[in-house]
């Protein structure tokens, strides 16, 4: 069964600290993996999209890694800011001919405190 | 370029009523996807429209329906509302059909069924 699991479910850190969010997936056949940031009451915004051949991708203070062998991805946030408080959602695209779909994780809720 | 817009932003309905939500995609985007988001289930895919045709459908009852107009604007209708339909409804537009295209989300419509 195609699944995306994220950990931790929630996280509280102090402003300026780094943190890492995890995403494990059992999706086949794998097409790409995306990380989204969703502020409260808003729609998700794409942070990165990674294909099978990409190990690392950065977007400012956000760095995503992908290990296609172990089917794991992480999102590292450097020097966190209050505005990083949001839900971070991992999404994996499965592409099997006519059966193409996105499998969404439940997200990690991050709170950055001053 | 204007982003994805959704109207209304908030809606309160009673059980048994029906509701219509509207989504205007980014100019030039022909794909519109609809999602239901609840705290326990995360984002659940409803359906995707591309060039006025439904291309993909999630596992929702027939009470959930949609359509797309020639200008790519899309509407989603829910009939005979149930308490469990209370959720944030998100629409996403994309240049490409299917899960491969990067999706741009609107702010969502918060539906409360009482």
């Amino acid at each position: 069964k195609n699944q995306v699991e994220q950990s931790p479910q929630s996280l509280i850190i102090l402003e300026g600290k780094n943190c890492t969010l995890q995403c494990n997936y059992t999706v086949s056949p794998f097409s790409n993996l995306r990380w989204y940031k969703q502020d409260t009451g808003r729609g998700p915004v794409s942070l990165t999209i990674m294909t099978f051949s990409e190990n690392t991708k950065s977007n400012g203070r956000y760095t995503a890694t992908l290990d296609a062998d172990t089917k794991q991805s992480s999102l590292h946030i450097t020097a966190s800011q209050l505005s990083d408080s949001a839900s971070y959602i991992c999404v994996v695209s499965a592409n099997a001919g006519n059966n193409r779909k996105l499998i969404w994780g439940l997200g990690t809720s991050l709170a950055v405190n001053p | 370029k204007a982003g994805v817009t959704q109207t209304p932003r908030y809606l309160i309905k009673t059980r048994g009523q029906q509701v219509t939500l509207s989504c205007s995609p980014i100019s030039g985007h022909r794909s519109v996807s609809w999602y239901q988001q609840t705290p326990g289930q995360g984002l659940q895919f409803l359906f995707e429209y591309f060039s006025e045709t439904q291309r993909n459908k999630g596992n929702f009852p027939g009470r959930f329906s949609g359509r797309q107009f020639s200008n790519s604007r899309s509407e989603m209708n829910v009939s005979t509302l149930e308490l469990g339909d209370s959720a944030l409804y998100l629409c996403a537009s994309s240049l490409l059909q299917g899960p491969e295209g990067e999706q741009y989300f609107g702010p969502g419509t918060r539906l409360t069924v009482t």
Side-chain angles (χ1 to χ4, degrees), chain A residues 15-112:
Chain A
E15 186 180 11
K17 297 296 186 182
N18 303 336
C19 68
T20 300
L21 314 180
Q22 298 290 342
C23 173
N24 296 339
Y25 61 92
T26 53
V27 175
S28 182
F30 174 90
S31 179
N32 61 59
L33 184 146
R34 314 169 188 201
W35 283 93
Y36 282 88
K37 177 188 178 189
Q38 184 176 21
D39 293 316
T40 301
R42 310 290 296 178
V45 174
S46 177
L47 293 175
T48 64
I49 299 177
M50 301 179 72
T51 60
F52 185 88
S53 60
E54 295 175 299
N55 300 117
T56 304
K57 204 160 192 180
S58 293
N59 178 357
R61 295 180 297 102
Y62 301 101
T63 299
T65 65
L66 174 64
D67 186 333
D69 291 330
T70 62
K71 298 188 177 181
Q72 296 180 327
S73 176
S74 64
L75 180 69
H76 186 75
I77 303 174
T78 304
S80 61
Q81 300 176 358
L82 298 179
S83 59
D84 292 330
S85 296
S87 179
Y88 292 85
I89 307 173
C90 174
V91 189
V92 180
S93 173
N95 190 355
N98 290 330
N99 185 19
R100 300 179 296 169
K101 58 172 64 178
L102 293 174
I103 295 92
W104 293 77
L106 294 181
T108 292
S109 179
L110 174 66
V112 180

Side-chain angles (χ1 to χ4, degrees), chain B:
Chain B
K1 205 178 229 186
V4 178
T5 58
Q6 291 187 246
T7 57
R9 291 294 312 279
Y10 304 92
L11 207 49
I12 299 175
K13 292 285 188 178
T14 56
R15 277 180 298 176
Q17 288 186 314
Q18 75 166 16
V19 67
T20 299
L21 312 182
S22 180
C23 172
S24 293
I26 292 172
S27 177
H29 286 194
R30 292 161 62 194
S31 168
V32 173
S33 297
W34 288 90
Y35 294 86
Q36 180 194 69
Q37 186 177 31
T38 56
Q41 298 292 319
L43 269 83
Q44 302 284 309
F45 173 72
L46 282 155
F47 29 66
E48 179 195 8
Y49 285 86
F50 185 87
S51 295
E52 301 178 65
T53 302
Q54 187 179 93
R55 304 290 179 154
N56 208 348
K57 190 176 187 303
N59 295 325
F60 277 81
R63 300 186 296 108
F64 292 81
S65 63
R67 58 178 176 168
Q68 187 179 34
F69 302 95
S70 58
N71 62 357
S72 294
R73 188 177 71 85
S74 177
E75 287 182 347
M76 190 193 90
N77 185 76
V78 187
S79 62
T80 319
L81 284 166
E82 300 177 359
L83 294 178
D85 296 333
S86 294
L88 180 67
Y89 289 88
L90 293 162
C91 102
S93 80
S94 176
L95 271 174
L96 304 176
Q97 178 197 338
E100 298 311 303
E102 182 161 5
Q103 295 190 316
Y104 297 84
F105 285 84
T109 294
R110 172 73 63 185
L111 172 65
T112 302
V113 182
T114 62

